[in-house]
Amino acid sequence: MRILVFANTPAHVHLYRNAVDRLQDAGHDVLVLTREYACTTDLLEYFGLPYRVYGTHETAGYSTLGFARELGGQLGSIATETLRFGPDVVFGRGPYAAAAGTLSRTPIVLVLDDEPADFNHTVSRPFADCILSPAVTRRDLGDAHYTFDGFKECAYLHPEVFEPDGTVREALGVGPDEQYALVRFNALDALHDTDLEGFSPDQRRDLIDRLADRATVFVSDEGDEMAFDDLPARPYDLHPALIHDAMAEAALVVSDTGTMVTEAALLGTPAFRYRGTDDHEYGEFRELERAGLAEQFDAYDRIRDRSLAILADADAERRWRKRRRDYVGDLVNLTDVLVDVAESRGAIDRLESSTRRSLRARSAMT
């Protein structure tokens, strides 16, 4: 079989990387189509995945109109690469996968989450042969929509596929018992980030100053705009592929971006998300809050004070690790599902019985 996968962001690379490896090991021909965005191609290189670049996404001045112009210039490249490869099934989301599957007359599998923007769902839903999403997704996307118990991040952070590498402490230059916090600042350049605000510059500085009184602080700045000359913090400068090992060893992850908070929570690390002006209710975060693995805050002073309290709590690590063992181990290993769905060409009725049992028709749940 020939399987085409779209990985447009670093998170998409992680979502599919284990499935791509397993499909290649099984003798299938896999191609990842991607764009130059953040560290996406760096991750593809690191994990040795077969890929081609169809365009570039700039992290500045983003708008819906800008996205439309960008997309228009990329669809030609996508068409050329898709027809050259000749896939039997296409994986992805939004207009990218929809265009590729339609042009090649190929089954389309969409892997979606409970994101606030409807654009990706709206443009791709009519073309999809199979839509997969976490059970906490609030939308019913039609007869082809199936849900699973878990999160997209379970494709790479489920205990069956991820084992933390404690040697990351040496790479970070911290001692075996040294407490450190990882702070992630969002570039807010994605379509669903339009008109949102995260931490302000003054809040960023204050947060770092306060956390540094109780822990070593590493900062991952997606916008790459921070100057560290007079800050009591270090830039997180390891290869981006090591970020999950770093989060697993951290005493705290605090951010105004959603993906890393979800990842830290599933790793059993206290994970706090600053919502700021984002008034959307994500099903994933609501579920992680219910499990006691993540917390969200609307006010800056609340997330700052809660972060300081966790760093002073000697029992926090034990509690979060126990919650992870009790909760995450029972979730679906999404890589198993992706591999089986690929080999069935998106046909749910041809899936292995164990995979069919892990999926539920969304329309039957409403």
Side-chain angles (χ1 to χ4, degrees):
M1 283 182 60
R2 300 172 72 80
I3 300 154
L4 181 64
V5 175
F6 280 86
N8 293 325
T9 71
H12 297 165
V13 177
H14 290 299
L15 169 63
Y16 291 113
R17 60 183 172 85
N18 291 316
V20 170
D21 284 342
R22 284 178 48 180
L23 289 166
Q24 287 186 305
D25 289 344
H28 301 297
D29 192 1
V30 185
L31 174 65
V32 178
L33 283 185
T34 189
R35 60 187 179 183
E36 293 285 357
Y37 169 64
C39 61
T40 304
T41 54
D42 292 334
L43 289 172
L44 290 166
E45 290 282 353
Y46 183 93
F47 293 116
L49 304 185
Y51 74 93
R52 293 180 191 147
V53 176
Y54 67 79
T56 299
H57 172 61
E58 299 296 336
T59 58
Y62 207 57
S63 66
T64 303
L65 178 59
F67 172 76
R69 290 173 176 168
E70 179 182 272
L71 177 62
Q74 294 173 352
L75 287 178
S77 296
I78 289 172
T80 299
E81 296 291 354
T82 299
L83 295 176
R84 177 185 298 157
F85 182 64
D88 295 301
V89 63
V90 175
F91 279 78
R93 61 186 292 143
Y96 313 97
T102 301
L103 286 167
S104 59
R105 299 181 180 180
T106 301
I108 301 168
V109 179
L110 307 178
V111 185
L112 305 176
D113 54 11
D114 203 16
E115 65 173 20
D118 289 328
F119 179 78
N120 280 315
H121 303 70
T122 301
V123 300
S124 55
R125 170 182 170 180
F127 304 94
D129 296 271
C130 177
I131 301 174
L132 303 176
S133 77
V136 295
T137 298
R138 298 158 298 169
R139 297 173 179 83
D140 180 353
L141 300 176
D143 293 339
H145 185 190
Y146 293 84
T147 68
F148 56 91
D149 288 331
F151 304 80
K152 294 200 302 14
E153 292 79 8
C154 288
Y156 54 98
L157 295 181
H158 192 280
E160 292 178 0
V161 296
F162 179 78
E163 182 67 32
D165 184 354
T167 63
V168 73
R169 284 184 165 271
E170 182 178 354
L172 287 170
V174 297
D177 300 316
E178 185 175 348
Q179 181 171 250
Y180 69 87
L182 183 58
V183 181
R184 171 70 163 181
F185 295 129
N186 198 343
L188 296 173
D189 66 325
L191 182 64
H192 56 253
D193 295 327
T194 303
D195 299 325
L196 296 183
E197 295 178 3
F199 291 107
S200 70
D202 287 344
Q203 288 170 345
R204 291 183 177 197
R205 178 173 294 274
D206 181 65
L207 180 65
I208 292 170
D209 284 338
R210 300 293 190 94
L211 295 180
D213 289 337
R214 301 190 180 181
T216 300
V217 179
F218 291 94
V219 176
S220 173
D221 177 26
E222 188 178 24
D224 198 25
E225 298 173 346
M226 290 200 68
F228 290 85
D229 295 343
D230 59 345
L231 286 176
R234 309 180 200 174
Y236 176 82
D237 57 3
L238 301 186
H239 193 284
L242 303 178
I243 188 63
H244 302 118
D245 298 301
M247 285 194 288
E249 288 288 313
L252 169 70
V253 171
V254 58
S255 179
D256 52 9
T257 181
T259 298
M260 282 187 59
V261 170
T262 301
E263 291 171 335
L266 293 174
L267 289 167
T269 298
F272 298 162
R273 174 177 175 253
Y274 179 49
R275 289 172 42 145
T277 56
D278 185 356
D279 60 359
H280 298 289
E281 283 290 336
Y282 297 78
E284 287 89 345
F285 289 122
R286 186 168 52 196
E287 174 64 10
L288 289 169
E289 286 184 298
R290 186 197 65 78
L293 291 167
E295 299 176 22
Q296 297 186 90
F297 301 86
D298 298 322
Y300 167 69
D301 58 345
R302 290 183 59 232
I303 191 171
R304 178 198 62 205
D305 294 347
R306 180 64 173 137
S307 298
L308 294 173
I310 281 292
L311 292 178
D313 184 348
D315 193 50
E317 179 180 354
R318 182 198 64 79
R319 294 199 310 276
W320 255 262
R321 295 292 190 260
K322 181 179 185 302
R323 291 170 188 170
R324 178 181 188 258
R325 288 194 302 271
D326 293 344
Y327 177 73
V328 181
D330 291 333
L331 300 179
V332 168
N333 177 349
L334 185 55
T335 289
D336 289 342
V337 174
L338 295 176
V339 170
D340 199 6
V341 170
E343 293 183 327
S344 75
R345 302 189 184 190
I348 297 298
D349 59 354
R350 295 208 302 264
L351 293 174
E352 296 286 342
S353 59
S354 59
T355 303
R356 281 203 306 273
R357 286 195 298 270
S358 68
L359 297 175
R360 295 189 296 276
R362 183 67 177 84
S363 57
M365 300 167 58
T366 57

